[in-house]
Amino acid sequence: MPKPNDAEAVPLLDLSKPSSPISFPIKSLQDLESRSYFDSFHFQFNRSTVPLRGDLPNNRPRVLVCHDMKGGYVDDKWVQGCENDAGYAIWHWYLMDVFVYFSHSLVTIPPPCWTNTAHRHGVKVLGTFITEWDEGKTTCNEMLATKESAQMYAERLAELATSLGFDGWLINIENEIDKEQVPNLMEFVSHLTKVLHLSTPGSLVIWYDSVTVHDHLKWQDHLNEKNKRFFDLCDGIFMNYTWKESYPKLSAEVAGDRKYDVYMGIDVFGRGSFGGGQWTVDTALDLLKRNNVSAAIFAPGWVYETAQPPNFHTAQNNVQCVCRECEVNWCTKIEEGFGETKKRESVPRNLSRTGLLRIGTGGRFGRERGQLRGATVW
């Protein structure tokens, strides 16, 4: 996956002491193993409070949205809200099935604002476990040293998801590993899936198309014998986004009855994605619809990060294909091909489709001299 365009650093502070509650990633295996996250002052504030409504459909392709915004933990790191009323937000939840919170830190934990909002609309939320570059290879050498170490780290990830109330993990091993470590990597994926299914029924572990069963970092862009063994051990695969026109059909054939568990990547920034991304994401969606596989839309925040005119809210509602005779709205394409059942069933009756809860924004409240004061975006 591409590096973020404009990463922002997580604040340096003593996480054991009281402060404004924040969400933050885990950056080392040592911190993951020691369970130091649970000793943090911020732990209790990062627990989701909204249970998930429903489960994934098994009778149609699905839509996964992978949120990658400036390295993660921007306005959304402030658990009790911030004062930026022009922050990024998503409000087409009724068209989604899975939401992945992504960053390039080792363990990316979704801020609770995303989990709570997604759960209200029946959308599952995944964190990200990623290793990459030389540092990633060093991490894998330690994590995959033995079968027992692979199982232990898998159990730590399962514990985090269950304790914080989100629904699973995207696993991205984006570096080469030693050949003798492949069996332990497969044990890591298998054990994480089994333990998480026991502790959180309905949870998901999704493998990213990266390192192969032959220990090479070589993106396949479709399901084949080099990545299918990982697919068989978990709940799905997120295919790299540089696939060719024939690859969705090939992947569906290899997956068989599990074709909806194949999520073909679409990079909204473009970057080699089929159809070019940006205003022509619908080109890829059309092809995936015809081949009856699922979609994984990466970095939809492109609209916000590139300041598409005339303004964010208008552009977010009108993501259109301008190179066709008739303008085509992304959301219409998703609705036609992926979200018909979800649209009817997922929006809670007690939530306004135009209200703040719909877009995951709201006030930050405190008391000053007996008065409630409000702020802005979550």
Side-chain angles (χ1 to χ4, degrees):
M1 287 187 173
K3 278 284 190 181
N5 296 314
D6 185 20
E8 292 188 9
V10 173
L12 296 177
L13 50 84
D14 186 342
L15 297 174
S16 65
K17 295 181 179 179
S19 66
S20 295
I22 62 168
S23 298
F24 58 94
I26 296 173
K27 295 191 172 185
S28 72
L29 282 181
Q30 291 72 30
D31 286 339
L32 180 60
E33 178 180 1
S34 70
R35 303 174 71 250
S36 62
Y37 184 89
F38 296 104
D39 297 326
S40 164
F41 166 79
H42 304 267
F43 161 58
Q44 295 292 341
F45 294 93
N46 277 275
R47 300 174 74 173
S48 169
T49 57
V50 178
L52 176 68
R53 300 174 65 253
D55 204 349
L56 286 183
N58 56 16
N59 60 348
R60 63 164 174 82
R62 308 168 192 137
V63 175
L64 178 154
V65 169
C66 189
H67 175 57
D68 175 36
M69 174 72 71
K70 299 182 179 181
Y73 304 100
V74 190
D75 292 325
D76 53 5
K77 70 173 174 277
W78 301 107
V79 175
Q80 295 179 328
C82 70
E83 297 181 358
N84 177 18
D85 60 0
Y88 179 71
I90 288 175
W91 52 87
H92 297 100
W93 292 100
Y94 71 97
L95 295 175
M96 300 180 209
D97 298 293
V98 182
F99 175 86
V100 177
Y101 192 77
F102 180 87
S103 83
H104 288 270
S105 295
L106 179 67
V107 180
T108 300
I109 297 170
C113 58
W114 291 110
T115 307
N116 287 334
T117 304
H119 280 183
R120 287 187 179 99
H121 295 274
V123 177
K124 295 191 177 186
V125 177
L126 309 185
T128 304
F129 180 84
I130 186 171
T131 65
E132 53 188 343
W133 313 107
D134 292 340
E135 182 181 358
K137 183 170 177 56
T138 300
T139 297
C140 286
N141 287 339
E142 181 177 347
M143 181 177 76
L144 305 175
T146 65
K147 177 180 178 180
E148 290 73 22
S149 64
Q151 291 177 336
M152 181 269 291
Y153 287 113
E155 290 166 8
R156 293 293 188 270
L157 291 178
E159 181 184 27
L160 279 168
T162 301
S163 298
L164 292 171
F166 60 94
D167 308 294
W169 295 98
L170 172 68
I171 304 298
N172 185 3
I173 308 300
E174 209 150 15
N175 49 260
E176 293 194 351
I177 63 173
D178 294 336
K179 189 170 185 177
E180 59 269 20
Q181 293 173 341
V182 172
N184 289 341
L185 178 56
M186 296 177 70
E187 177 64 25
F188 171 77
V189 176
S190 174
H191 194 65
L192 173 59
T193 305
K194 291 175 183 176
V195 172
L196 195 51
H197 284 181
L198 288 172
S199 60
T200 304
S203 56
L204 297 176
V205 175
I206 295 180
W207 175 260
Y208 189 80
D209 168 37
S210 48
V211 71
T212 70
V213 294
H214 303 303
D215 67 63
H216 301 135
L217 178 59
K218 191 171 183 180
W219 301 269
Q220 300 300 298
D221 298 331
H222 65 293
L223 189 63
N224 61 23
E225 73 283 355
K226 295 181 180 179
N227 55 28
K228 187 175 183 294
R229 290 170 69 187
F230 293 113
F231 174 72
D232 291 340
L233 294 171
C234 63
D235 301 300
I237 188 167
F238 184 147
M239 303 309 308
N240 193 50
Y241 50 83
T242 53
W243 45 270
K244 302 183 185 304
E245 186 172 5
S246 62
Y247 287 5
K249 184 175 186 292
L250 290 174
S251 297
E253 291 171 351
V254 173
D257 292 341
R258 293 189 62 199
K259 60 188 176 184
Y260 300 146
D261 295 334
V262 176
Y263 299 83
M264 302 297 294
I266 304 170
D267 184 358
V268 180
F269 276 85
R271 294 180 286 207
S273 192
F274 181 84
Q278 301 185 12
W279 300 111
T280 57
V281 164
D282 67 298
T283 302
L285 290 171
D286 274 339
L287 184 62
L288 301 185
K289 174 186 175 181
R290 292 198 301 271
N291 288 281
N292 224 19
V293 292
S294 296
I297 301 173
F298 182 78
W302 169 81
V303 177
Y304 182 88
E305 291 194 61
T306 58
Q308 293 297 304
N311 57 65
F312 168 59
H313 282 84
T314 302
Q316 180 87 325
N317 277 325
N318 296 283
V319 181
Q320 298 167 330
C321 172
V322 296
C323 49
R324 296 190 175 191
E325 293 181 4
C326 297
E327 293 183 340
V328 180
N329 187 286
W330 281 8
C331 297
T332 300
K333 282 294 179 185
I334 296 173
E335 194 169 310
E336 290 174 351
F338 301 88
E340 294 160 333
T341 302
K342 187 68 184 296
K343 180 183 178 183
R344 291 194 298 269
E345 296 179 354
S346 74
V347 180
R349 293 180 182 274
N350 61 335
L351 293 184
S352 166
R353 292 169 70 92
T354 59
L356 290 174
L357 289 177
R358 181 177 65 121
I359 64 174
T361 64
R364 174 184 180 179
F365 296 102
R367 187 173 293 276
E368 289 183 354
R369 298 181 182 178
Q371 302 292 319
L372 283 178
R373 58 180 172 82
T376 51
V377 166
W378 287 348

